[in-house]
Amino acid sequence: MRVNLLAKRYAQAVFDLALETHKVQKIANDLKLVQTVLDENRELRKLMVNPILDASKKIKVLNALFSSHVDELSIRFLNLITRKGREDYLLVICVAFEDIFLEYKNIMRAEFISASPVNTAIKKAVIDKLAKITDKTVDLNEKVDPEIIGGYILRMEDYQIDGSIKNQLRKLRKNFAEN
């Protein structure tokens, strides 16, 4: 089974259970914490994919790390994933859950890359325009990349709008090379 499909199925299952028990926000926060800890701790990731350690030892580690910080439902979910031998995919499952949660909350993430920091008026105009187009609340992440020289790059979902000078120069170079 493909990893993304597997992750979506587990994430959807825990999301449905969280929705049923009215703990969606709490479980989202819990899985975000798990994702952050896994992202920042290489040793924990190595331990989780270690085939020599059996599931009971991995469950003890997860319980020791998270039981005092997360909801009972989240602990049971982490234990289930580990018992089923899917702990390798825990990070991907957390990301898939976050995607489902954002869709549920009608939030769209977007990334705005510019050559220099933009003022709040431009940022607000971009957020308002995207919100109007998509009918969603926009969570805009701003990045500064001097290598694009000028203009901007906007990424949202599966779309990218590249209005950077670097891209325009690349197109001109290609056009001149063809002619």
Side-chain angles (χ1 to χ4, degrees):
M1 181 180 294
R2 291 193 348 240
V3 173
N4 287 337
L5 182 59
L6 177 131
K8 284 180 184 176
R9 285 186 180 168
Y10 276 104
Q12 188 65 53
V14 75
F15 180 81
D16 291 343
L17 191 57
L19 196 60
E20 187 177 304
T21 58
H22 307 290
K23 296 181 178 181
V24 175
Q25 186 66 52
K26 176 67 175 141
I27 303 304
N29 294 341
D30 292 350
L31 292 183
K32 185 65 178 171
L33 173 68
V34 172
Q35 179 184 351
T36 303
V37 169
L38 285 170
D39 273 339
E40 294 175 355
N41 194 326
R42 183 172 176 254
E43 293 300 318
L44 180 59
R45 285 193 313 265
K46 285 171 60 176
L47 178 125
M48 296 307 289
V49 299
N50 188 341
I52 296 172
L53 289 175
D54 63 342
S56 64
K57 290 181 182 174
K58 292 177 184 180
I59 288 173
K60 285 180 184 176
V61 169
L62 288 173
N63 286 342
L65 284 174
F66 297 112
S67 64
S68 63
H69 303 289
V70 300
D71 190 76
E72 165 79 24
L73 177 62
S74 299
I75 286 294
R76 289 191 351 235
F77 177 68
L78 294 174
N79 292 343
L80 173 73
I81 294 291
T82 307
R83 277 196 314 274
K84 294 287 186 180
R86 305 294 193 189
E87 64 274 7
D88 302 7
Y89 309 114
L90 192 53
L91 192 59
V92 183
I93 293 169
C94 290
V95 171
F97 183 89
E98 187 176 20
D99 291 343
I100 293 168
F101 177 73
L102 289 175
E103 185 68 31
Y104 170 75
K105 288 289 199 177
N106 201 30
I107 298 172
M108 180 189 70
R109 286 211 169 126
E111 182 178 47
F112 187 80
I113 304 168
S114 59
S116 60
V118 295
N119 63 30
T120 54
I122 293 174
K123 188 175 178 180
K124 184 177 179 344
V126 170
I127 290 172
D128 291 344
K129 190 71 161 178
L130 289 176
K132 185 178 178 184
I133 292 170
T134 61
D135 290 330
K136 293 185 177 188
T137 304
V138 178
D139 178 16
L140 190 67
N141 181 20
E142 183 185 351
K143 288 187 179 177
V144 176
D145 182 5
E147 289 189 18
I148 68 169
I149 304 170
Y152 67 92
I153 299 171
L154 179 64
R155 295 182 182 137
M156 57 184 179
E157 294 176 347
D158 291 340
Y159 299 101
Q160 175 173 303
I161 300 169
D162 193 342
S164 67
I165 293 179
K166 181 179 180 179
N167 184 45
Q168 292 173 9
L169 290 172
R170 184 174 51 245
K171 286 179 182 178
L172 275 172
R173 190 177 305 119
K174 182 180 175 187
N175 193 8
F176 282 137
E178 289 174 357
N179 295 330

